[in-house]
Structure formats: C-alpha cells, structure tokens
Amino acid sequence: MDVKRAQDIYKSKETIAVHLDGEPVWIEHVDVDNGMATVQVGSRPTNTHTIAVDRLEEQAR
C-alpha cells in the first residue's frame, strides 16, 4: 500500500479491511513524511506497532 492510500483509509468514514502479515489491523496514525503507520493489531488496543505502510495490504471487498 502507498502512503496516500493509507491516509485515505485512515480518514475514511467507511470501514475498510486492512491486514498486516495476514492479521487484521486498524490504522491509528499515518506519518506521510516518513512513510510509516501506527496500527492496532486485532482488537487489543495495547497491541500497536509502527510499521512501513508498504507492509499493509488492503483486502478486496
């Protein structure tokens, strides 16, 4: 995924399925300048990771 798409998903009012290494994630923040995103893995708010946005995969509807 590119940074622009990650930012679009983050700002969207719709729920858009995104995965990291096969696990569902919620995008919590996108650092456009550095190409990074902070994501919550699964449903545990304490399970967050900051990763390169190119590791994120948008799931087909």
Side-chain angles (χ1 to χ4, degrees):
M1 176 178 303
D2 64 26
V3 173
K4 182 181 179 331
R5 183 60 184 148
Q7 185 77 353
D8 289 346
I9 290 171
Y10 173 69
K11 291 180 176 181
S12 176
K13 294 186 187 303
E14 295 179 39
T15 299
I16 300 170
V18 176
H19 285 187
L20 169 66
D21 300 331
E23 294 287 327
V25 297
W26 290 98
I27 299 174
E28 294 188 342
H29 176 75
V30 179
D31 179 347
V32 175
D33 294 334
N34 295 306
M36 303 294 283
T38 301
V39 298
Q40 174 186 317
V41 180
S43 60
R44 295 193 333 252
T46 58
N47 190 4
T48 60
H49 300 282
T50 300
I51 50 95
V53 294
D54 62 4
R55 292 185 58 200
L56 297 173
E57 295 178 7
E58 184 175 356
Q59 300 302 297
R61 296 180 193 197

